[in-house]
Amino acid sequence: MATSAARDISPKVNGIAREVSISNSFNNMSLSTSPTATFQSPPSSYGAGGPSSFQQSFQQHHTLTGRSAKQLKPFNTEDIRILLLENVNESGRQLLVDQGYQVEFEKASLPEDELIARLQNIHVVGIRSKTKITARVLRECPRLRTIGCFCIGTNQVDLEYAAKKGVTVFNSPFSNSRSVAELIIGEVIALARQLGDRSNELHNGVWNKVSKNCWEIRGKTLGIIGYGHIGSQLSVLAEAMGMSVIFYDVVNLMALGTTRQVSSLNELLRRADFITCHVPELAETKDMIGPAQFAEMKQGSYLLNASRGSVVDIPALIDAMRSGKVAGAALDVYPSEPGGNGENFTNSLNTWTEDLRGLKNIILTPHIGGSTEEAQSAIGIEVATALIRYINEGSTTGAVNMPEVSLRSLTIDEPNHARVTYIHQNIPGVLKKVNEVLGDHNVDKQMSDSKGDVAYLMADISNVTFDEIKDIYESLESLSCTFSWPARVMIIYLKNSNP
């Protein structure tokens, strides 16, 4: 598709240079962004050819510091410090390294005290599902500006508190959907044929060729709880294998193929031969499948859960399998999970673990639903690109705890322009005060949106000098003193450096 006439910014092209100021008004520290680099953006889908690329080079000279020191200081690309935990895929790591950021990498998650110590000089942290970003971590790590969750879920982060601290959180809601859907299809077949038990028996030298209670899945009914990205892909795969598919969701959704939505969870439980859960971790989904739900299920039905460990009441599942109500189960997630690999899936983790391990026809996997090379590569690209756009341009597109606000990038055709972003408490009167600060300047573009208690404003201002930008910065910072929780200011300045 043809691109617009806007051109990319190159270092000191046509006398243009870019200056950036990001203030952390919580801790008197500053964070500077948009180094000279090239990065790639993902296409709408990820194929064997990898992501498409585009150039976006920046030159940067100065930044404003925090409240206690307003003078200019030299900018260094390595001022941006990023910590990636839990073996984040190389695809994401490389994009961040290519920006010139200083990237640290760890294969495992960190306990809270060690995490806090490591984050003292970190501006961006990348995590997967094991690392817990609690209110304490956010409170004691004031330099932290953004979090990249290289996974679907964000329940490991205190999203509300992060928003109040001006810390933007990104995730990857789509990239591992296919991997999870394929895992579920494989497990449906494995449970129907008791493949896990037959394999374990033969590994122990026992030849046990049986057909009793082994079934084809063709003609059986799959019940999907939660018809989102994973559930909808799963329905297509299941129908292609001859299954009838029904789903239950709290909102009315358009079904794909011949799949049908049912009106209640109990209706799905009564009708389905195989039941699979694909819902987020919420108060409403805790123990969503418990004793009452097992009682509604067909005799000899099957349960699969690759969503969140809190969704299924595990002791109730153990009872249902021992009684024969449930003929088989597959679990990929658990209420408490080990922090790393090793022989630690024992009763010390969950009191019922050994009872669970002793059941017949149960598939237990260590939270690997999205653990494929394809999914992890796509997740790395998706989340890293979102982080780069936020750091370099202020775009919150894809953020889970902030309003999604974005303006087109400033170009070399727009010298002496500044982009101002302002994260603030969503209360009456803030925009009036902000616009009083901006009102003496020519605002080319402005966008503001809110999400709960937090609001995000972005404005592009033309024909401004660096001294005027400094005044805007200081004025906006001073406004935060009048709110119950302070704001965060970022200014990206594109100046004409010709004499």
Side-chain angles (χ1 to χ4, degrees):
M1 185 174 66
T3 59
S4 67
R7 289 171 285 163
D8 296 324
I9 301 168
S10 298
K12 301 190 79 172
V13 174
N14 296 337
I16 302 298
R18 172 166 288 214
E19 301 174 355
V20 174
S21 165
I22 298 185
S23 148
N24 182 342
S25 56
F26 303 117
N27 65 358
N28 298 329
M29 298 301 298
S30 67
L31 171 61
S32 308
T33 62
S34 298
T36 301
T38 297
F39 69 96
Q40 295 180 320
S41 64
S44 57
S45 61
Y46 302 101
S52 62
S53 65
F54 64 95
Q55 302 288 328
Q56 188 160 29
S57 300
F58 300 123
Q59 175 68 30
Q60 212 158 357
H61 297 291
H62 302 93
T63 182
L64 296 176
T65 62
R67 273 187 195 161
S68 61
K70 304 296 185 182
Q71 76 277 7
L72 301 178
K73 71 171 186 177
F75 173 79
N76 190 330
T77 295
E78 294 184 354
D79 281 352
I80 305 300
R81 296 174 61 91
I82 299 176
L83 174 63
L84 300 179
L85 301 173
E86 303 183 66
N87 205 25
V88 167
N89 190 268
E90 174 64 23
S91 62
R93 300 204 304 267
Q94 193 59 52
L95 287 181
L96 297 169
V97 169
D98 288 346
Q99 287 293 298
Y101 306 145
Q102 186 173 335
V103 180
E104 302 174 28
F105 173 76
E106 296 285 348
K107 288 188 175 181
S109 61
L110 298 176
E112 187 171 74
D113 288 343
E114 188 175 347
L115 179 64
I116 290 171
R118 287 292 299 274
L119 292 180
Q120 289 307 302
N121 295 310
I122 295 295
H123 308 114
V124 183
V125 63
I127 64 173
R128 293 177 69 189
S129 58
K130 297 292 188 297
T131 303
K132 307 301 181 185
I133 307 293
T134 62
R136 180 190 168 212
V137 172
L138 292 162
R139 185 169 54 251
E140 297 187 21
C141 301
R143 286 193 177 186
L144 186 64
R145 184 169 184 87
T146 183
I147 300 167
C149 297
F150 288 77
C151 53
I152 290 181
T154 55
N155 59 300
Q156 68 276 40
V157 180
D158 189 329
L159 296 177
E160 182 178 354
Y161 194 78
K164 290 181 178 180
K165 298 294 285 184
V167 178
T168 306
V169 181
F170 297 92
N171 72 331
S172 177
F174 315 113
S175 295
N176 71 356
S177 301
R178 178 72 180 199
S179 295
V180 177
E182 288 186 4
L183 176 69
I184 294 297
I185 284 292
E187 290 179 334
V188 166
I189 296 171
L191 291 174
R193 298 294 298 273
Q194 301 180 14
L195 294 183
D197 287 354
R198 299 295 86 79
S199 177
N200 288 335
E201 290 163 355
L202 208 53
H203 275 284
N204 291 322
V206 177
W207 186 274
N208 186 23
K209 183 178 179 180
V210 296
S211 59
K212 184 178 180 181
N213 294 325
C214 295
W215 315 95
E216 294 181 353
I217 66 169
R218 179 180 56 175
K220 305 302 187 295
T221 299
L222 176 67
I224 301 173
I225 304 173
Y227 199 68
H229 304 301
I230 297 171
S232 56
Q233 286 204 42
L234 177 59
S235 72
V236 174
L237 296 177
E239 283 195 345
M241 302 193 72
M243 300 188 79
S244 299
V245 182
I246 57 177
F247 75 89
Y248 170 71
D249 204 293
V250 293
V251 296
N252 291 325
L253 297 168
M254 184 183 74
L256 302 179
T258 60
T259 298
R260 294 290 179 266
Q261 185 168 7
V262 297
S263 60
S264 69
L265 176 60
N266 280 347
E267 181 182 355
L268 181 143
L269 297 175
R270 289 192 294 265
R271 291 176 55 183
D273 301 300
F274 296 84
I275 297 163
T276 179
C277 303
H278 301 284
V279 296
E281 184 175 57
L282 303 169
E284 295 81 1
T285 61
K286 180 176 173 56
D287 292 337
M288 188 178 191
I289 306 297
Q293 288 70 40
F294 285 116
E296 293 289 332
M297 291 168 61
K298 285 184 176 181
Q299 185 72 22
S301 55
Y302 302 82
L303 178 71
L304 303 92
N305 182 27
S307 58
R308 288 292 175 261
S310 61
V311 172
V312 175
D313 182 339
I314 302 296
L317 170 64
I318 294 171
D319 291 342
M321 291 192 68
R322 284 174 172 170
S323 70
K325 181 73 172 184
V326 173
L331 301 178
D332 189 48
V333 290
Y334 311 89
S336 296
E337 298 180 357
N341 294 341
E343 297 181 2
N344 44 24
F345 190 63
T346 64
N347 275 13
S348 61
L349 192 68
N350 298 290
T351 58
W352 36 256
T353 300
E354 292 179 16
D355 287 337
L356 186 71
R357 289 165 48 190
L359 295 172
K360 292 290 187 180
N361 202 27
I362 187 164
I363 300 172
L364 304 176
T365 51
H367 205 148
I368 57 169
S371 296
T372 63
E373 294 287 353
E374 296 90 345
Q376 291 307 307
S377 177
I379 288 170
I381 293 169
E382 183 179 8
V383 178
T385 301
L387 292 173
I388 290 166
R389 286 175 175 163
Y390 179 69
I391 296 168
N392 290 2
E393 302 176 22
S395 171
T396 54
T397 300
V400 296
N401 69 332
M402 293 280 174
E404 295 192 58
V405 177
S406 184
L407 295 175
R408 67 171 177 83
S409 299
L410 298 175
T411 73
I412 61 173
D413 297 319
E414 300 168 300
N416 299 323
H417 274 59
R419 170 160 297 169
V420 178
T421 69
Y422 193 64
I423 302 173
H424 62 89
Q425 188 178 9
N426 183 27
I427 56 175
V430 177
L431 287 182
K432 178 182 177 182
K433 293 181 179 180
V434 171
N435 285 322
E436 287 174 354
V437 173
L438 304 180
D440 292 333
H441 305 278
N442 185 37
V443 178
D444 286 348
K445 301 181 291 294
Q446 180 172 318
M447 182 176 179
S448 179
D449 200 359
S450 62
K451 185 173 185 178
D453 291 332
V454 65
Y456 192 86
L457 177 141
M458 183 182 291
D460 285 353
I461 307 171
S462 62
N463 300 319
V464 286
T465 66
F466 197 78
D467 286 339
E468 289 174 319
I469 290 300
K470 186 172 184 286
D471 290 339
I472 292 172
Y473 163 81
E474 293 174 344
S475 297
L476 290 177
E477 248 203 349
S478 65
L479 291 181
S480 67
C481 299
T482 65
F483 309 140
S484 61
W485 47 273
R488 269 190 166 175
V489 183
M490 177 173 73
I491 297 178
I492 301 172
Y493 180 35
L494 182 63
K495 80 169 185 177
N496 191 331
S497 59
N498 284 329

